[in-house]
Amino acid sequence: MSPRSLLVLAAILMASCLSPAAQGNDMPVAAKIVDVPSERRDWGEPIGNIHVTFADGHAELWTRQGRCMHVHHALSGLVGWTRYSSRNSYGEPVNNIVRVMISPNHWHDFQAGPFIEDWSFTDNDTTIVIKSRGRHGPAAYRQYSLSNGKLIAAAKGITPFAELPAWAQPLADDRP
């Protein structure tokens, strides 16, 4: 087989394992950050590459640039994380993108920043909710569809907890 044929075959095989409808041993069952201390510096939380473990026991390193944070794995097999491409003038990583892998050749990048503090898969892994803010001030919440990558709703965190939409409350600052 030619190298191109092998790549196409690998992409087809991996696409089946990352699909939310995937069954069996080829579905991701865990994801974590492999710390890259030179990227973390004194930030205080892991920054590094994405390491994914599959049901059959094999593992893969999905990133190589070491600029990933806040990795999440959904029960459906989806894996996502925040990433940054630059640091601000204080040297802080400006993680303003959530990347969710739909398949090896299909992902959605969700811009929500400048600093993404938290995010989660919601609605049976059909949407994500992202909490972000500037260096200071109130949080902003955004809900996106995973099927098309479009913004569904947005809210600001300056209202009391009870006034935030139900989809934003699990990530709220002042949740009970």
Side-chain angles (χ1 to χ4, degrees):
M1 259 188 185
S2 72
R4 178 161 166 61
S5 297
L6 287 173
L7 286 173
V8 169
L9 178 60
I12 291 168
L13 291 172
M14 287 185 68
S16 67
C17 77
L18 288 178
S19 165
Q23 305 275 332
N25 292 333
D26 55 355
M27 186 168 77
V29 294
K32 67 180 182 178
I33 297 282
V34 177
D35 197 32
V36 176
S38 63
E39 285 297 329
R40 180 177 26 86
R41 301 177 193 168
D42 60 355
W43 185 244
E45 65 181 282
I47 299 175
N49 289 307
I50 303 302
H51 180 272
V52 178
T53 304
F54 292 81
D56 67 0
H58 88 278
E60 298 174 1
L61 193 62
W62 279 7
T63 63
R64 303 263 190 253
Q65 294 180 341
R67 294 181 169 193
C68 304
M69 305 166 67
H70 308 294
V71 65
H72 292 293
H73 166 260
L75 293 177
S76 66
L78 294 172
V79 175
W81 59 90
T82 69
R83 63 187 190 89
Y84 70 94
S85 56
S86 66
R87 291 178 178 268
N88 65 14
S89 60
Y90 296 98
E92 301 164 331
V94 183
N95 65 325
N96 60 341
I97 296 170
V98 172
R99 173 165 285 179
V100 176
M101 297 302 295
I102 308 300
S103 76
N105 297 319
H106 181 208
W107 62 85
H108 286 301
D109 282 348
F110 302 93
Q111 184 92 23
F115 297 101
I116 296 171
E117 292 182 4
D118 200 2
W119 72 278
S120 66
F121 290 104
T122 55
D123 298 328
N124 296 315
D125 302 338
T126 61
T127 65
I128 63 169
V129 174
I130 301 171
K131 173 186 170 186
S132 65
R133 73 176 84 222
R135 284 191 82 231
H136 306 286
Y141 303 88
R142 293 175 184 87
Q143 182 183 39
Y144 292 93
S145 167
L146 286 176
S147 65
N148 60 19
K150 300 216 185 265
L151 180 68
I152 297 170
K156 296 267 187 203
I158 55 175
T159 59
F161 176 83
E163 293 178 25
L164 276 175
W167 57 265
Q169 289 179 353
L171 298 181
D173 290 332
D174 59 349
R175 60 184 172 250

